[in-house]
Amino acid sequence: MPVLTNIEELKKLQDKARAEKADREENKTTIILGMGTCGIAAGANDVAAEIHSELKKHKIDAEVVSVGCIGMCHNEPLIDIQQPGLPRVTYTKVKPKMVGKIIEKHLVQGEYNKRWIYGQLPTGNGKVIEGIPAYDELPFYNKQVRIALKNCGIIDPESIEDYLASGGYGGLSKVLFEMDQIDVIEELKDSGLRGRGGAGFLTGMKWEFCMRAKGYPKYIICNADEGDPGAFMDRSVLEGDPHALLEGMIIAGYAIGALEGYIYCRAEYPLAIERLKIAIEQACELGLLGDNILGSGYSFNLKIKEGAGAFVCGEETALIASIEGKRGEPRPRPPYPAVSGLWGKPTNVNNVKSFAITSQIMVHGAEWFNSIGTKKSTGTAVFALTGKIEHTGLVEVPMGITLREIVYDIGGGIPDKMKFKAVQTGGPLGGCLPEEALDTPVDFDSLTEAGATMGSGGMIVVDQETCMVEFARYFLTFASAESCGKCVPCRIGGQRLLEVLTRITNGEGKSEDLDEIELISEGMREGSLCALGQLTPGPVISSLRFFKEEYEAHVNENFCAAGVCAGMFTYEIDPVLCVGCGLCVKPCPEDAITGEKKIPHVINQAQCIQCGACYDVCNLGAVLVKRKHELDMVEPA
Amino acid sequence: MDKVNIDVGLLEPILLEFRDQKGAVIPILQRAQDLYGYLPEEAMIEIAEKSRISISQLYGIATFYAQFNLEPRGRHIISICDGTACHVRGAPKLVTAVEDKLNLVAGGSDPDYNYTLEIVYCLGSCGLAPIALVNGQVYGNTTPDSLVEKVMDLD
Amino acid sequence: MGKVKFTIDGKEIQAETGVTILQAARQEKIFIPILCDHPSLPPEGACRICLVEIEGQQALQPACTYPISEGMEVSTNTPRIRAARKFNLELLISDHPLDCMTCEAAGDCLLQDLAYEYDVTEDRYEGTKHHYSVNDPNPFIQVDRNKCILCRRCVRACSEINGVEAISVFYRGFSAYIGFGADSSMDDSPCEFCGSCVEVCPTGALWPKNSLGKGRLWQTETIQTTCPYCGVGCQINLQVKDNQIVKVDSAWEGPSNHGWTCVKGRFGYDFVHHPDRLDTPRVRKYLLDGKRKPGAKKRKPEVEGDPWQWVEVDWETALGITADKMRQIRNDYGPESMGFLTSAKCLNEENYLMNKLARQVIGTNSIDHCARL
């Protein structure tokens, strides 16, 4: 393709891409495969192979396209079939052996197997198929507003034409030819966009600081080091819509006056890196990246830097140190990177989603964006909804929606008739909120006030089988292992806090330990150098605040009600609930369960090792977690 | 494990590619590890000399990042994700099952260097938790039994 | 650069724009405690002891990296700050041996001073303590990682003062430690044993091996002197106890070395009190007797009366014999038969005189200097 040298050529190419897409939709059969990392993990590759062989078998002329993640992880693998002039019809949880039947029925017989169909997505012509629910009507989608995820799972991330057909690079061309640096920054400030990495600082202000900073050259960095366990928002954007990130970064470069940018992506995301490389190459070929972009006289180059496995590199000064080839250790701010960042030069660091959203703000305007969400937290929030929840996946919701709506309406509630216990937001440095807090609106300030944080978007739901003390210990294990070790409160304080929690989960806790937790947490928050150390106590403090009775049961009664902490509970079969089905007998590795068929069974406590096999297998919930000392008392001498 | 003689000459194209690039030591280490499977001392000395960084600093960097291995690893690499989502969905049980079956401790290898078991934090497929990676292949919704079965299928 | 007016603990202060709170405080002799900073090293911001309160700022800020600004109001000793400092000190002590009574650094240890000031009387945390072995085989420096507080002064001294970069932090978090080379020993690393790391270490983690057990700081007298090894004129502080040199410390105000020394200046003082050291001139007996040089095969200098025996003489005799011999050689074989080698231990003036002696008195251009070898 020839290099685009002016805005008209870009518009022409966008029109051409749109026309080709419409032509494809009207005249061709397309099969669209969800090929994000999660789709592949669920077996999308096998499904793809099966599709190709079935198409060959039936001699069907259809194009097979791979797209990124649409966010329905619980339904992977997904395939969409789009016949000429008709909407996309989505099949979920597709197994290779289902492919033959789907293709035969849908493409050969022209009928829809509604049992396997999830919903339909309209194409350009807006037509609908009667009797199949539209995505907008489905509970998982009807409360979502997709801005950052607009194209994820919809377009082919490896095709720049697909991105152009969706209006891609329109924000960039508007910025380059209709706005000056101040205009861009003012627009962004008016939009109220706050950094999606978690800190929630006004993005427009951040850009302005960097723009006004003295020093040359300046740098733009995209923080794609998504290290929170339980978070994959950024990965989905990188894998599903890489050009949106590129466009946002070029706009940022223009606004700030930077000629070079880096994308710092964690090495655990090979597919994201691959797709970014393709996108950069395509953008360079078209002259949308590189020298003299679209003939505007502005030049910008992008490089990818792979992380090497350090959570703390999500902190901007540590990330910069890592790009410089050093140990990824944070340093005190000020000076802020906007003044002295990469190689000591003014540098602007933003999260993937912040950049991806920016290009759309430039197209649709600040007012459009700040009309969504709340007054102080405008726009949308992207969450990776995981844990003990029916509809795990990626959701984008307007700020201000309540946690309850996300967990129950979008997420479909807790599976296996279990009871909701807590929702953890903000990743390992965030906090856990209890049922009483479910009506908290989701925005930067309300979540912080409630005792959690927005973070970059991990949202993990846990049920009664999760011990909150052990859960806190788990986060501490992670955070203290990821401490860089530079400052004392985090290096030694994190270790000491972990030791207290380990003591409690091992049944060696004392009631003074709860005060000790408060004391160490306060010291770490007060004294640590960076957010990692300051926020490490977050999950512990919030769970101690909302689930104090669990901590007290551990230290005072040696009891873990969730049945997690070894040696602090025992299993007992409820004689009323048990129907004597015998399902629990075989999995018991110690042959500790006895009983006649159809008569309540009994666990021999002397043999039981609390492995939980019976608990896991019982469909009736008849295996109960009980206090140990009650049994100790009746144990024969 | 005895010192293995490695061919440091293989590093030449990598060192050439990154010559004159500021701050390129991390990508050099990544490529060197791809080459040898870990970072042998001889390779570290060569990299330090050629990229003009002190050997002490190079080790300081390599030991900081979890990705770098200074010891050889097994022929088969099993990574179990213990990210939050996987943790609440039973990742610890996967770890115990594999440890018991292969008679090793997570973070290490068996004496014959056939298997290495690693705990990783989040592969970003939390929707399909718990996740395990066997020789780079991702498996979602794994159970102790299904994972052990996959591991035993390895030659 | 202009001046900035601000206050520390209510006292109005003027300082250059761009300096940190700590630098400004030091100029005014206001003490802010800190472990990781050293006036001769760039700030690190690691120990979090120098935290101060700044009016209008929610979080405590490190004085060592925070730049001053007009009208800023800084407090350095509020209850909140003291609590944060004490917490940090208690954590450090919780992973530190409690052996001050036998520690070399007692009396010369910042951690000890601060523990005293902040009333850290016990190890209040149960939990893991590191137990590193103290057996680095190098000849000069004892490395006791158990006493290391990871302030990284040594890392910066090695890279910023000596430019050798032999020391780095290895691993991370609670597992981090100071390491050398390929995670080996100090003498298996690029270390040149300049001892700058020992000098800046605020605790007893790095200590000269030849000073072990020789005396504590309060038992010694500090005598500033010029290093005898070369002509640079480095200033060093000798720690002297019972008329014996027990340790060499940096004299930071030394104009030619600003505290830096090489391995010889720092550790090479054992010659001073060495029993083999010559302090009187000696000549061979045959020279004293005015005889010809006897055959070397049968030399027995240890035997009384042997012509090779060393005989102690006064300077006049020794120099007289030397001058006579030089004159004789010049007369017999000509000036080109002689060469002169001078020493870097001499002053420039002495070297200049040697040059005069060689070229003008003897008449040869064959003169060189040990620093060229």
Side-chain angles (χ1 to χ4, degrees), chain A residues 3 32 42 137 160 176 230-231 239 245 248 269 299 306 311 314 339 344 378 492 495 532 571 574 591 599:
Chain A
V3 174
I32 300 142
E137 300 163 10
I160 194 168
L176 289 179
E239 287 179 4
L245 168 65
Y269 286 174
S299 304
E306 284 182 41
F311 175 69
V339 175
T378 56
I492 310 179
Q495 170 73 17
L532 175 72
Y571 290 111
D574 187 326
D591 294 328
I599 291 175

Side-chain angles (χ1 to χ4, degrees), chain A residues 220 249-250 258-262 280 284 289-291 293 298-303:
Chain A
I220 302 290
M249 287 187 77
I250 306 166
L259 306 181
E260 208 177 329
Y262 288 91
I280 289 173
C284 285
L289 194 60
D291 292 340
I293 295 169
Y298 174 65
S299 304
F300 187 74
N301 283 293
L302 262 179
K303 283 187 190 137

Side-chain angles (χ1 to χ4, degrees), chain A residues 309-311 327 329 332-335 480-489 491-493 495-496 499 503 510 516 519-520 523-524 526-529 534, chain C residues 44-48 51 60-62 65-67 80 84 87-88 91-92 94-95 124-129 149-150 152 168-174 176:
Chain A
F311 175 69
R327 289 168 60 88
E329 292 170 346
R333 299 172 301 181
S480 63
E482 294 295 338
S483 163
C484 80
K486 184 170 173 176
C487 77
V488 178
R491 180 178 75 240
I492 310 179
Q495 170 73 17
R496 295 291 172 251
E499 283 165 355
R503 213 151 63 211
K510 301 166 290 209
E516 192 82 342
L519 185 130
I520 302 174
M524 288 182 74
E526 187 88 330
S528 295
L529 193 163
Q534 288 157 9
Chain C
E44 182 79 5
C47 73
R48 312 294 288 177
L51 293 174
L60 300 179
Q61 298 291 349
T65 57
Y66 207 93
R80 182 182 170 198
F87 173 72
N88 284 355
L91 290 177
L92 283 171
S94 77
D95 189 26
R124 68 172 305 285
Y125 296 102
E126 299 169 32
T128 322
K129 259 183 202 265
I149 56 169
L150 283 166
R152 303 151 179 242
S168 181
V169 182
F170 282 38
Y171 295 91
R172 66 183 183 205
F174 194 65

